[in-house]
Amino acid sequence: MTKSFSFGLLTASMLALSAGAAFADYELNILHINDFHSRIESINKFDSTCSAEEEGKKECFGGAARLKTAIDQRRQALSGKNVLLLNAGDNFQGSLFYTTYKGAAEAEFLNLMKFDAMTVGNHEFDDSEDGLATFLDKVQFPVVTANVKATAASKLGDRIKPSLVLDVGGQKIGIVGAVTNDTAELSSPGPNVTIADDVQSITSAVQDLKGQGVNKIIALTHVGYPRDLALIAKIPDVDIVVGGHSHSLLSNTDSKAEGPYPTMVDNPGGYKVPVVQAASYSKYLGDLVVNFDDSGVVKDAKGDPILIDSTFAPDPAVVARIAELAKPIEELRKKVIGSSESPIEGDRKVCRVKECSMGNLVADAMLDRTKNQGVTIAVQNGGGLRASIDGGEITQGEVITVLPFQNTLATFELTGANVVKALENGVSQIDQGAGRFPQVAGLKFSFDQSKPVGSRVSDVQVKDGDNFAPIDPAKTYKVATNNFMRAGGDGYAIFKEGQNAYDFGPDLADVTAEYVAAHSPYKPYTDGRVTEFAQAAPAPSASEPAPAAPAAPAPATEPAPAAPAPAAPAPAAPAPAPAPTAEPAASAPAATTPSTHVIAAGDTFWDLAVTFYGDGTLWRKLSDANGKPNPRHLTVGKEIEVPAK
């Protein structure tokens, strides 16, 4: 272990004391959330606002009132111990409360929970620095993000610090924050705010803390689980990483988790760093216990996220305040705008990797609204779709939950060659589940994920009357998208080169709601407008070793997490069980009947065989049942058959 230390001169009395007795180990309890996304009210299994009927059936999760109860209960159970409550960013955007109050409601409820520190997320800049400045005016806890650099003209002032030091139980705890490097691309920080490199900024801030004699340092990040594993946890003298951005569920009990809680990462300094994250939308409260030796080195870490389900009674005062704030938006929220014959799929693990029914609905609505302007192609980023909608009546509130960003419809002209370049951008990070995946209308295309980035797209065809014709690279097409993408968001820089651009103006949620109303009852569908080529590869020979368990995933812009199904709640008071070093998630009972599985980032046949059969050596059973694809390059988002054991 070579974690760096600096010592001043020791007096004789101090030397005598240290010779006579060792300092006691130090235990730190960390409660944490990330990606709250304005889920002020409780949510259902679709991550949308929970109905009164669902509340009655005890089918709701999270929300500010339940979350406060869970935090209060856990603090009470840890009374007399060293406790921190941390927030890893993206509190903005996701419900009518943010649409209406622009961060003021989020600030009010987070204040009630008494956070010790927060880092900003990229969505904190969705209303430019103005929205974040208003939020900072109201919050009563420190905000730390080392790579946010505000100019003298910025309304943020110096209120976002690189780091801070807290005295917790007589020990100095340093907290360094960071937000994803591509925030300017994902959001709208404006000309007075620069986002510096996260690794360099954290490294500098950590060394500053070391100079102050701090030897226990937490990186509070909004950069995503893969980047936390690959880079942040390996920064010298970082002891713990509490993360967000990728909505990653880490768990030792849920088979759909992306990794164990905590995931232990080897730091080049010769020690292990626990990395944690707690899914999203207030559905979980992270609960980590870390023990340090007297030199500030992590000895062990254990924990598991707590599922915030109906076993937690909502805080009555918070419920009353939410009801008060909801009055001005209740009429809008409850307005029924149509119905759907079945659920409309908007899950991020689907819409960021392949054609989905929510993507078709939104893209079709965009094209329908602009067809009288001569628009023939519509493109919507999969990351802009934030929830599914269940079958039955559809309210305006549900549509806004799906499309919460108040993006507006925009049109421009683009050559066929540049349309293809845009599609190439859209599938360039599909293996990472990035938000840029293109949901389209008026055209269809195929892609091959096994090919190099920039040459994955083929067979692009544009609708011509009732038929489709190959896209003409030299022809100019009129395209509709949202204003975020038109300005180059999610890597669509080619859209900024479009000619005769026009920010048409209608809110995308309103456009979609009007389309549903005009086609009610709406019938969700996919029609093969986006097709992925199967990644065929020779089956491994008998001498070829079985695929190894996955290594830590590569850094990603905004990777797609596995969408967790409700799991049994973790006990509130007892200390959590020790966490394993990074391994595949806990296995499920052996499959006794055939089933299916949707490939998530990091899946291998070996791990899936462990999950479904309890035996990784049975991986060839899965391979044989699915055409023997390349076992090391499984297609994210593809549904595979799981034969019975």
Side-chain angles (χ1 to χ4, degrees), residues 184-206:
E185 185 176 294
L186 298 173
S187 191
S188 306
N192 297 321
V193 177
T194 301
I195 308 299
D197 180 76
D198 54 355
V199 173
Q200 293 178 12
S201 299
I202 292 174
T203 300
S204 175
V206 166

Side-chain angles (χ1 to χ4, degrees), residues 307-347:
L307 179 67
I308 312 301
D309 62 7
S310 60
T311 60
F312 291 93
D315 181 280
V318 175
V319 169
R321 178 58 177 155
I322 291 172
E324 183 181 355
L325 291 173
K327 287 177 183 177
I329 58 179
E330 199 63 31
E331 185 176 345
L332 173 63
R333 185 211 309 278
K334 291 183 175 180
K335 180 183 178 183
V336 175
I337 49 91
S339 65
S340 178
E341 293 183 5
S342 59
I344 309 172
E345 178 65 82
D347 194 307

Side-chain angles (χ1 to χ4, degrees), residues 262-548:
T263 303
M264 303 300 289
V265 176
D266 289 322
N267 186 286
Y271 60 97
K272 291 187 179 295
V273 174
V275 176
V276 292
Q277 195 172 145
S280 59
Y281 304 146
S282 73
K283 193 172 184 177
Y284 292 88
L285 174 65
D287 186 10
L288 179 68
V289 183
V290 182
N291 283 292
F292 294 87
D293 66 18
D294 55 17
S295 297
V297 177
V298 173
K299 291 181 61 178
D300 60 74
K302 57 189 177 182
D304 234 347
I306 300 170
L307 179 67
I308 312 301
D309 62 7
S310 60
T311 60
F312 291 93
D315 181 280
V318 175
V319 169
R321 178 58 177 155
I322 291 172
E324 183 181 355
L325 291 173
K327 287 177 183 177
I329 58 179
E330 199 63 31
E331 185 176 345
L332 173 63
R333 185 211 309 278
K334 291 183 175 180
K335 180 183 178 183
V336 175
I337 49 91
S339 65
S340 178
E341 293 183 5
S342 59
I344 309 172
E345 178 65 82
D347 194 307
R348 58 187 281 144
K349 72 175 183 179
V350 179
C351 296
R352 293 174 180 232
V353 296
K354 65 180 181 180
E355 176 190 357
C356 67
S357 56
M358 186 66 76
N360 285 358
L361 166 59
V362 174
D364 287 349
M366 295 164 70
L367 187 58
D368 182 75
R369 184 62 175 268
T370 55
K371 63 185 178 183
N372 62 351
Q373 301 178 37
V375 171
T376 56
I377 296 171
V379 186
Q380 163 67 27
N381 55 326
L385 309 174
R386 309 303 284 191
S388 301
I389 293 178
D390 48 353
E393 289 186 342
I394 300 176
T395 64
Q396 181 77 22
E398 287 180 297
V399 176
I400 294 175
T401 299
V402 173
L403 298 161
F405 303 122
Q406 292 184 291
N407 291 138
T408 54
L409 209 51
T411 62
F412 53 91
E413 294 175 353
L414 209 61
T415 65
N418 283 343
V419 169
V420 175
K421 287 182 181 179
L423 298 176
E424 288 284 6
N425 169 70
V427 300
S428 65
Q429 296 181 5
I430 185 174
D431 52 329
Q432 302 164 7
R436 64 189 60 191
F437 187 85
Q439 301 292 334
V440 301
L443 62 74
K444 59 182 181 179
F445 70 95
S446 300
F447 70 94
D448 187 341
Q449 192 181 162
S450 68
K451 291 188 175 181
V453 168
S455 58
R456 293 177 170 181
V457 171
S458 62
D459 194 26
V460 182
Q461 299 184 46
V462 180
K463 196 165 188 180
D464 185 5
D466 293 330
N467 301 309
F468 282 87
I471 195 165
D472 182 345
K475 182 178 177 179
T476 297
Y477 295 87
K478 200 156 191 179
V479 179
T481 188
N482 59 64
N483 63 316
F484 168 71
M485 295 173 68
R486 189 189 75 74
D490 261 344
Y492 284 89
I494 197 72
F495 283 176
K496 296 170 71 174
E497 299 179 17
Q499 301 298 307
N500 297 317
Y502 175 44
D503 283 329
F504 181 42
D507 187 288
L508 194 53
D510 292 336
V511 170
T512 303
E514 290 167 12
Y515 185 82
V516 169
H519 295 81
S520 183
Y522 180 74
K523 185 175 182 178
Y525 74 101
T526 56
D527 57 9
R529 60 185 68 177
V530 181
T531 304
E532 180 175 9
F533 287 114
Q535 294 184 16
S541 64
S543 61
E544 184 176 354

